[in-house]
Amino acid sequence: MYRFILNFLVHFFWARAQKRFDNHIYYSFQEERLNARKSYYFAIIVEALFPKYKNVKKEKIGVIGAGSFGTTIANLIAHNADVLLYAKYEDQVIKINESNTNRGYKINDRIRATGSIELIAEECDVIFPVVPSAGFRKAMQELSPYISPRHILIHCTKGLDADILSDPDLKFLAKESIHTMSEVIRQETTAIRVGCVSGPNLSREIMGGLPAATVIASEFEEVIEIGHSLLSNKNFFVFGSKELRGVEFAGAYKNIIALAGGILYGKKLGKNIEALLITRGLREMIHLGKAVGLHERAFLGTAGLGDLIATATSIDSRNFKFGIGIAEGKNSDAIIGSMDEVVEGVRTLRIAYLLANFYNINLPINNMLYKIIYEDFPADKAIQYLMSYPYSADVDFLSS
């Protein structure tokens, strides 16, 4: 009953604040500022209603998803707290619990696996969902009956939600039709304090103990502090950001450029054109981000440019590997079928292409990639086209 009353009060005051701002602030060119102010007052209300965790490291932390990155997140957290890891298959649960191994990695003995999503919600107030974007909404629907406003959810999914993608004849996609994973969490559950993890985080390097960094983004300072407390160690640095939506879009968009990076690598075209791809790819990420109301700064930090460099140049990136397969003349479906985990960039590419069509934005790299992957356009011809494209300016995405 207590949780129900708290949830009602939060949503009641949020609705009042939203109505007040919508009535009194000119919306058209101030959308970003308006949303930031709404989020600020929303955070104040929630943080006043919910007491802060005094020592989250004494709590058991949940991780949903036992793929490569879910295992990596669980192992990072296990440096600081006990972890309950949800794995879909019973044989995987048994293997993790009996041998402390998963996906070929030796994992921390503070990690215990379970096949019960209900147990995760029952024993863990802080949960990290690490689920592919295409199945994220369904996963949250399954989790929803066990979630209350006391839970904190920090997702680690670098993709976007768009149910209408199942329509093969779809030509356009407005920003209202796509959702970030934090938006899906709030749509499908009663969780309020949400955040995301995003950055240059290649699983193989992190599991090998190599130094890396990430970003925890949330409107709530408490969520950033908790994420920092749980993930930080001597080899892993955690930045904080209040630009949740921007960080989520940056993490999703950079996967598209990583596909192209793999193609260039597979064609053995050298570092000069790789650098050109990253700079021009960043430009396209920012222009598409601005079309959906985001500021360019979200794309220029660790979760944007940083993640772009790592993902678009590393053989350890699934999106990069996919691009190599395309360069070798393999069919998209065959490449995906040969990989044991999801290539997020292929799905995000279609979303970005349809968004660009709707907002009439010219994104040459995105357009050529779409033709290569979805229309079997020859990669060599696409590269020739891009090398002769009449760009008018080098840097045209910074606000004055």
Side-chain angles (χ1 to χ4, degrees), residues 61-77 85 126-133 136 140 152-160 180-182 185 194-203 206 214-217 223 227 230-231 236 244 247-248 251-252 254-255 307 318 341-342 344:
I61 307 302
V63 176
I64 298 175
S68 295
F69 198 50
T71 302
T72 302
I73 291 295
N75 213 55
L76 284 169
I77 296 170
L85 174 63
V126 180
I127 300 172
F128 288 74
V130 195
V131 181
S133 61
F136 196 90
M140 292 303 99
I152 293 175
L153 271 64
I154 306 174
H155 78 82
C156 310
T157 300
K158 297 176 181 179
L160 298 168
T180 65
M181 299 302 105
S182 66
I185 291 172
V194 302
C196 80
V197 176
S198 192
N201 302 149
L202 299 168
S203 291
I206 295 172
T214 199
V215 175
I216 299 286
V223 174
L230 291 173
L231 292 174
F236 198 75
L244 175 57
V247 167
E248 289 178 292
K254 57 85 190 174
N255 285 329
D307 201 2
R318 291 192 293 272
E341 293 191 284
V342 174
E344 288 282 3

Coordinates of all heavy atoms in Angstrom, one line a residue, residues 61-77 85 126-133 136 140 152-160 180-182 185 194-203 206 214-217 223 227 230-231 236 244 247-248 251-252 254-255 307 318 341-342 344:
I61 N 23.1 -7.1 -6.0 CA 22.8 -6.4 -7.2 C 22.4 -7.3 -8.3 O 23.0 -8.4 -8.5 CB 24.0 -5.5 -7.7 CG1 24.5 -4.7 -6.6 CG2 23.7 -4.7 -8.9 CD1 23.5 -3.7 -6.0
G62 N 21.3 -7.0 -9.0 CA 20.8 -7.9 -10.1 C 21.3 -7.5 -11.5 O 21.5 -6.3 -11.8
V63 N 21.6 -8.5 -12.3 CA 22.0 -8.2 -13.7 C 21.1 -9.2 -14.5 O 21.1 -10.4 -14.3 CB 23.5 -8.5 -14.0 CG1 23.8 -8.4 -15.5 CG2 24.4 -7.6 -13.2
I64 N 20.4 -8.6 -15.5 CA 19.5 -9.4 -16.4 C 20.1 -9.5 -17.7 O 20.2 -8.6 -18.5 CB 18.1 -8.8 -16.5 CG1 17.4 -8.7 -15.1 CG2 17.2 -9.5 -17.4 CD1 16.1 -8.0 -15.1
G65 N 20.6 -10.7 -18.1 CA 21.2 -11.0 -19.3 C 22.6 -11.5 -19.1 O 23.5 -10.8 -18.6
A66 N 22.9 -12.8 -19.6 CA 24.2 -13.4 -19.4 C 24.9 -13.6 -20.7 O 25.7 -14.5 -20.8 CB 23.9 -14.7 -18.7
G67 N 24.8 -12.6 -21.6 CA 25.6 -12.6 -22.8 C 27.0 -12.1 -22.4 O 27.3 -11.9 -21.3
S68 N 27.8 -11.7 -23.4 CA 29.1 -11.2 -23.2 C 29.1 -10.0 -22.4 O 29.9 -9.9 -21.4 CB 29.8 -11.0 -24.5 OG 30.0 -12.2 -25.2
F69 N 28.3 -9.0 -22.7 CA 28.3 -7.7 -22.0 C 27.7 -7.8 -20.6 O 28.1 -7.2 -19.7 CB 27.7 -6.6 -22.8 CG 28.1 -5.2 -22.3 CD1 29.4 -4.9 -22.1 CD2 27.2 -4.3 -22.1 CE1 29.8 -3.7 -21.6 CE2 27.5 -3.0 -21.6 CZ 28.9 -2.7 -21.4
G70 N 26.6 -8.6 -20.6 CA 26.0 -8.9 -19.3 C 26.9 -9.5 -18.3 O 27.0 -9.2 -17.1
T71 N 27.7 -10.5 -18.8 CA 28.7 -11.1 -18.0 C 29.8 -10.1 -17.5 O 30.3 -10.1 -16.4 CB 29.4 -12.3 -18.8 OG1 28.4 -13.2 -19.2 CG2 30.4 -13.0 -17.9
T72 N 30.2 -9.2 -18.5 CA 31.2 -8.2 -18.2 C 30.7 -7.3 -17.1 O 31.4 -6.9 -16.1 CB 31.5 -7.4 -19.4 OG1 32.0 -8.3 -20.4 CG2 32.6 -6.4 -19.2
I73 N 29.4 -6.8 -17.2 CA 28.9 -5.9 -16.2 C 28.8 -6.6 -14.8 O 29.1 -6.0 -13.8 CB 27.5 -5.4 -16.6 CG1 27.6 -4.5 -17.8 CG2 26.7 -4.7 -15.5 CD1 28.3 -3.2 -17.6
A74 N 28.3 -7.9 -14.8 CA 28.2 -8.6 -13.6 C 29.6 -8.7 -12.9 O 29.8 -8.6 -11.7 CB 27.6 -10.0 -13.9
N75 N 30.6 -9.0 -13.8 CA 32.0 -9.2 -13.2 C 32.6 -7.9 -12.7 O 33.3 -7.9 -11.6 CB 32.9 -9.7 -14.3 CG 34.0 -10.7 -13.7 OD1 33.6 -11.6 -13.1 ND2 35.2 -10.4 -14.0
L76 N 32.2 -6.7 -13.3 CA 32.7 -5.4 -12.8 C 32.0 -5.2 -11.4 O 32.7 -4.8 -10.5 CB 32.3 -4.3 -13.8 CG 33.2 -4.2 -15.0 CD1 32.5 -3.3 -16.0 CD2 34.6 -3.7 -14.7
I77 N 30.7 -5.4 -11.4 CA 30.0 -5.1 -10.1 C 30.5 -6.0 -9.0 O 30.6 -5.6 -7.8 CB 28.5 -5.4 -10.3 CG1 27.9 -4.3 -11.3 CG2 27.7 -5.2 -9.0 CD1 26.5 -4.6 -11.8
L85 N 22.8 -13.0 -11.2 CA 22.8 -12.9 -12.7 C 21.7 -13.7 -13.3 O 21.7 -15.0 -13.1 CB 24.2 -13.3 -13.2 CG 24.3 -13.4 -14.7 CD1 24.1 -12.0 -15.4 CD2 25.7 -14.0 -15.1
V126 N 18.6 -2.8 -6.9 CA 19.3 -2.2 -8.0 C 19.5 -3.3 -9.1 O 20.1 -4.3 -8.8 CB 20.6 -1.6 -7.6 CG1 21.4 -0.9 -8.8 CG2 20.4 -0.5 -6.5
I127 N 19.0 -3.0 -10.3 CA 19.1 -4.0 -11.4 C 19.6 -3.4 -12.6 O 19.3 -2.3 -13.0 CB 17.6 -4.6 -11.6 CG1 17.1 -5.2 -10.4 CG2 17.7 -5.6 -12.8 CD1 15.6 -5.6 -10.5
F128 N 20.5 -4.2 -13.3 CA 21.1 -3.7 -14.6 C 20.6 -4.6 -15.7 O 21.1 -5.8 -15.8 CB 22.7 -3.9 -14.5 CG 23.4 -2.9 -13.7 CD1 23.3 -2.9 -12.3 CD2 24.1 -1.8 -14.2 CE1 24.0 -2.0 -11.5 CE2 24.7 -0.9 -13.4 CZ 24.7 -1.0 -12.1
P129 N 19.6 -4.2 -16.5 CA 19.2 -5.0 -17.6 C 20.2 -4.9 -18.8 O 20.6 -3.8 -19.1 CB 17.8 -4.4 -18.0 CG 17.5 -3.5 -16.9 CD 18.7 -3.0 -16.2
V130 N 20.6 -6.0 -19.3 CA 21.6 -6.1 -20.4 C 20.9 -7.0 -21.5 O 21.3 -8.1 -21.6 CB 23.0 -6.5 -20.0 CG1 24.0 -6.2 -21.1 CG2 23.4 -5.9 -18.6
V131 N 20.0 -6.4 -22.2 CA 19.1 -7.2 -23.1 C 19.1 -6.5 -24.5 O 19.1 -5.3 -24.5 CB 17.7 -7.3 -22.6 CG1 16.8 -8.1 -23.5 CG2 17.6 -7.8 -21.1
P132 N 19.2 -7.3 -25.6 CA 19.2 -6.7 -26.9 C 18.0 -5.8 -27.1 O 16.9 -6.1 -26.6 CB 19.2 -7.9 -27.8 CG 19.8 -9.0 -27.1 CD 19.4 -8.8 -25.6
S133 N 18.1 -4.7 -27.9 CA 17.0 -3.8 -28.0 C 15.7 -4.4 -28.6 O 14.6 -4.0 -28.2 CB 17.5 -2.6 -28.9 OG 17.8 -3.0 -30.2
F136 N 14.0 -6.0 -25.7 CA 14.0 -5.2 -24.4 C 12.6 -5.0 -23.9 O 12.4 -5.2 -22.7 CB 14.8 -3.9 -24.6 CG 15.2 -3.3 -23.3 CD1 16.4 -3.5 -22.8 CD2 14.3 -2.4 -22.7 CE1 16.8 -3.0 -21.6 CE2 14.7 -1.8 -21.5 CZ 16.0 -2.1 -20.9
M140 N 11.1 -6.2 -20.3 CA 10.5 -5.3 -19.2 C 9.1 -5.7 -18.9 O 8.7 -5.6 -17.8 CB 10.6 -3.9 -19.7 CG 12.1 -3.4 -19.8 SD 13.0 -3.5 -18.3 CE 14.0 -5.0 -18.6
I152 N 15.8 0.6 -8.7 CA 16.6 1.4 -9.6 C 17.1 0.5 -10.7 O 17.7 -0.5 -10.5 CB 17.8 2.0 -8.8 CG1 17.3 3.0 -7.8 CG2 18.7 2.7 -9.8 CD1 18.4 3.6 -6.9
L153 N 16.8 0.9 -11.9 CA 17.2 0.2 -13.1 C 18.1 1.0 -14.0 O 17.8 2.1 -14.4 CB 15.9 -0.2 -14.0 CG 15.3 -1.5 -13.6 CD1 14.7 -1.5 -12.2 CD2 14.2 -1.9 -14.6
I154 N 19.3 0.4 -14.2 CA 20.4 1.0 -15.0 C 20.7 0.1 -16.2 O 21.4 -0.9 -16.0 CB 21.6 1.3 -14.2 CG1 21.3 2.1 -12.9 CG2 22.7 2.0 -15.0 CD1 22.5 2.3 -11.9
H155 N 20.2 0.4 -17.3 CA 20.3 -0.5 -18.5 C 21.6 -0.3 -19.2 O 22.3 0.7 -19.1 CB 19.1 -0.4 -19.4 CG 19.2 0.8 -20.3 ND1 20.0 0.8 -21.5 CD2 18.7 2.1 -20.3 CE1 19.9 2.0 -22.1 NE2 19.1 2.7 -21.4
C156 N 22.0 -1.4 -19.9 CA 23.3 -1.4 -20.6 C 23.1 -1.7 -22.1 O 24.0 -2.3 -22.7 CB 24.3 -2.4 -20.0 SG 24.4 -2.2 -18.2
T157 N 22.0 -1.3 -22.7 CA 21.6 -1.7 -24.0 C 21.8 -0.5 -25.0 O 21.3 0.6 -24.8 CB 20.1 -2.1 -24.1 OG1 20.0 -3.3 -23.2 CG2 19.7 -2.5 -25.5
K158 N 22.6 -0.7 -26.0 CA 22.9 0.3 -27.0 C 22.1 0.1 -28.2 O 22.6 -0.3 -29.3 CB 24.4 0.3 -27.3 CG 25.3 0.6 -26.1 CD 26.8 0.5 -26.4 CE 27.6 0.8 -25.2 NZ 29.1 0.6 -25.5
G159 N 20.8 0.4 -28.1 CA 19.9 0.3 -29.2 C 18.7 1.1 -29.0 O 18.6 1.8 -28.0
L160 N 17.7 1.1 -29.9 CA 16.5 1.8 -29.8 C 15.3 0.9 -30.0 O 15.4 -0.1 -30.7 CB 16.5 3.0 -30.9 CG 17.6 4.0 -30.7 CD1 17.6 4.9 -32.0 CD2 17.4 4.8 -29.5
T180 N 14.0 5.3 -26.4 CA 15.2 4.7 -25.8 C 14.8 3.7 -24.8 O 13.6 3.5 -24.4 CB 16.0 5.9 -25.1 OG1 15.2 6.4 -24.0 CG2 16.3 7.0 -26.0
M181 N 15.8 2.9 -24.3 CA 15.5 1.9 -23.3 C 15.0 2.4 -22.0 O 14.2 1.8 -21.3 CB 16.8 1.0 -23.1 CG 17.3 0.3 -24.4 SD 16.1 -0.8 -25.2 CE 15.6 0.3 -26.7
S182 N 15.5 3.6 -21.6 CA 15.0 4.2 -20.3 C 13.5 4.5 -20.5 O 12.8 4.4 -19.5 CB 15.8 5.4 -19.9 OG 15.7 6.4 -20.9
I185 N 11.6 1.3 -20.1 CA 11.5 0.9 -18.7 C 10.3 1.6 -18.0 O 9.5 1.0 -17.3 CB 12.8 1.2 -18.0 CG1 13.9 0.3 -18.5 CG2 12.6 1.0 -16.5 CD1 15.3 0.6 -18.0
V194 N 15.8 5.6 -13.2 CA 16.5 4.8 -14.2 C 17.7 5.5 -14.7 O 17.9 6.7 -14.6 CB 15.5 4.6 -15.4 CG1 14.3 3.9 -14.9 CG2 15.1 5.8 -16.1
G195 N 18.6 4.8 -15.4 CA 19.8 5.3 -16.0 C 20.3 4.3 -17.0 O 19.7 3.3 -17.3
C196 N 21.5 4.7 -17.6 CA 22.1 3.8 -18.5 C 23.6 3.8 -18.4 O 24.2 4.7 -17.8 CB 21.7 4.2 -20.0 SG 22.6 5.5 -20.7
V197 N 24.2 2.7 -18.9 CA 25.7 2.6 -19.0 C 26.0 2.6 -20.4 O 25.5 1.9 -21.2 CB 26.1 1.2 -18.4 CG1 27.7 1.1 -18.5 CG2 25.8 1.1 -16.9
S198 N 27.0 3.5 -20.8 CA 27.4 3.6 -22.2 C 28.8 4.1 -22.3 O 29.1 5.0 -21.6 CB 26.4 4.4 -23.0 OG 26.6 4.3 -24.4
G199 N 29.6 3.5 -23.2 CA 30.9 4.0 -23.4 C 31.7 3.0 -24.2 O 31.2 2.0 -24.7
P200 N 33.0 3.2 -24.4 CA 33.9 2.3 -25.1 C 34.2 1.1 -24.3 O 35.3 1.1 -23.6 CB 35.1 3.2 -25.4 CG 35.2 4.2 -24.3 CD 33.7 4.5 -24.0
N201 N 33.4 0.1 -24.3 CA 33.4 -1.0 -23.3 C 33.4 -2.3 -24.1 O 32.5 -3.1 -24.0 CB 32.3 -0.9 -22.3 CG 32.2 0.4 -21.5 OD1 31.1 0.8 -21.2 ND2 33.3 1.0 -21.3
L202 N 34.5 -2.6 -24.7 CA 34.7 -3.9 -25.4 C 34.9 -5.0 -24.3 O 35.8 -5.0 -23.5 CB 35.8 -3.9 -26.4 CG 35.7 -2.8 -27.5 CD1 37.0 -2.7 -28.2 CD2 34.6 -3.2 -28.5
S203 N 34.0 -6.0 -24.3 CA 34.0 -7.0 -23.3 C 35.3 -7.7 -23.1 O 35.8 -7.9 -22.0 CB 32.9 -8.0 -23.6 OG 31.6 -7.5 -23.4
I206 N 37.9 -5.6 -21.2 CA 37.5 -5.4 -19.8 C 37.7 -6.7 -19.0 O 38.3 -6.7 -17.9 CB 36.1 -4.9 -19.7 CG1 36.0 -3.5 -20.3 CG2 35.7 -4.8 -18.2 CD1 34.5 -3.0 -20.4
T214 N 33.6 4.3 -18.7 CA 32.2 4.3 -19.2 C 31.5 5.6 -18.6 O 32.1 6.3 -17.9 CB 31.5 3.0 -18.8 OG1 30.3 2.9 -19.6 CG2 31.0 3.1 -17.3
V215 N 30.2 5.7 -19.1 CA 29.4 6.8 -18.6 C 28.1 6.3 -18.0 O 27.5 5.4 -18.5 CB 29.0 7.8 -19.7 CG1 28.0 8.9 -19.2 CG2 30.3 8.4 -20.3
I216 N 27.8 6.7 -16.8 CA 26.5 6.5 -16.2 C 25.7 7.7 -16.4 O 26.0 8.8 -15.9 CB 26.6 6.2 -14.7 CG1 27.4 4.9 -14.4 CG2 25.2 6.0 -14.1 CD1 26.8 3.6 -14.8
A217 N 24.5 7.6 -17.1 CA 23.7 8.7 -17.4 C 22.3 8.6 -16.7 O 21.8 7.5 -16.7 CB 23.5 8.9 -18.9
V223 N 21.3 7.9 -8.9 CA 21.6 6.8 -9.8 C 23.0 6.8 -10.3 O 23.7 5.8 -10.4 CB 20.6 6.8 -11.0 CG1 20.9 5.8 -12.0 CG2 19.2 6.6 -10.5
G227 N 25.7 3.9 -9.7 CA 26.4 3.3 -10.8 C 27.9 3.4 -10.6 O 28.7 2.5 -10.9
L230 N 29.2 1.1 -7.9 CA 29.2 -0.4 -8.2 C 30.2 -0.8 -9.3 O 30.7 -1.9 -9.3 CB 27.8 -0.8 -8.6 CG 26.7 -0.7 -7.5 CD1 25.3 -1.0 -8.1 CD2 27.1 -1.8 -6.4
L231 N 30.4 0.1 -10.3 CA 31.2 -0.3 -11.4 C 32.7 0.1 -11.3 O 33.5 -0.5 -12.0 CB 30.6 0.3 -12.7 CG 29.3 -0.2 -13.1 CD1 28.7 0.6 -14.3 CD2 29.3 -1.7 -13.5
F236 N 38.8 0.6 -14.1 CA 37.6 1.0 -14.8 C 37.1 2.3 -14.1 O 36.7 2.3 -13.0 CB 36.5 -0.1 -14.6 CG 35.4 0.0 -15.6 CD1 35.6 -0.4 -16.9 CD2 34.1 0.4 -15.2 CE1 34.6 -0.3 -17.9 CE2 33.1 0.5 -16.1 CZ 33.3 0.2 -17.5
L244 N 20.7 11.8 -20.2 CA 20.3 10.4 -20.4 C 20.0 10.1 -21.8 O 20.5 9.2 -22.4 CB 19.2 10.0 -19.4 CG 18.6 8.6 -19.6 CD1 19.7 7.5 -19.4 CD2 17.5 8.4 -18.6
V247 N 23.0 10.4 -24.3 CA 23.9 9.3 -24.2 C 23.4 8.0 -24.8 O 24.1 7.3 -25.4 CB 24.3 9.1 -22.7 CG1 25.0 7.8 -22.5 CG2 25.1 10.3 -22.2
E248 N 22.1 7.8 -24.6 CA 21.4 6.6 -25.2 C 21.5 6.6 -26.7 O 21.8 5.6 -27.3 CB 20.0 6.4 -24.7 CG 19.9 6.0 -23.2 CD 18.5 5.9 -22.7 OE1 17.8 7.0 -22.7 OE2 18.0 4.8 -22.4
G251 N 25.1 6.1 -28.0 CA 25.5 4.7 -27.9 C 24.9 3.8 -29.0 O 25.5 2.8 -29.5
A252 N 23.7 4.2 -29.4 CA 23.0 3.4 -30.5 C 23.5 3.8 -31.9 O 23.8 2.9 -32.7 CB 21.5 3.7 -30.4
K254 N 26.4 5.1 -32.9 CA 27.8 4.8 -33.3 C 27.9 3.4 -33.8 O 28.9 3.1 -34.6 CB 28.7 5.0 -32.0 CG 28.3 4.2 -30.8 CD 28.9 2.8 -30.8 CE 28.3 2.0 -29.7 NZ 28.8 0.6 -29.7
N255 N 27.0 2.5 -33.5 CA 27.0 1.1 -34.0 C 26.9 1.1 -35.6 O 27.4 0.2 -36.2 CB 25.9 0.2 -33.4 CG 26.2 -0.2 -32.0 OD1 27.4 -0.3 -31.6 ND2 25.2 -0.3 -31.2
D307 N 33.2 6.0 -27.7 CA 32.7 4.7 -28.0 C 32.8 4.5 -29.5 O 33.0 3.3 -30.0 CB 31.2 4.6 -27.5 CG 30.8 3.1 -27.4 OD1 31.6 2.2 -27.7 OD2 29.6 2.9 -27.1
R318 N 31.2 -6.5 -32.4 CA 30.3 -7.4 -33.3 C 29.9 -6.6 -34.6 O 29.8 -7.2 -35.6 CB 29.1 -7.8 -32.5 CG 29.4 -8.7 -31.4 CD 28.1 -9.4 -30.8 NE 27.3 -8.4 -30.2 CZ 27.3 -8.1 -28.9 NH1 28.3 -8.7 -28.1 NH2 26.5 -7.2 -28.3
E341 N 25.7 -13.6 -31.0 CA 25.1 -12.5 -30.3 C 24.6 -11.5 -31.3 O 25.0 -11.4 -32.5 CB 26.0 -11.9 -29.3 CG 26.3 -12.9 -28.1 CD 27.1 -12.2 -27.0 OE1 28.3 -11.9 -27.1 OE2 26.4 -11.9 -26.0
V342 N 23.7 -10.5 -30.8 CA 23.0 -9.6 -31.7 C 24.0 -8.5 -32.2 O 24.8 -8.0 -31.5 CB 21.9 -8.9 -30.9 CG1 21.2 -7.8 -31.7 CG2 20.8 -10.0 -30.5
E344 N 23.6 -5.0 -33.1 CA 22.6 -3.9 -32.9 C 22.6 -2.9 -34.0 O 21.6 -2.3 -34.4 CB 22.9 -3.2 -31.6 CG 22.5 -4.0 -30.3 CD 21.1 -4.0 -30.0 OE1 20.3 -3.4 -30.8 OE2 20.7 -4.5 -29.0

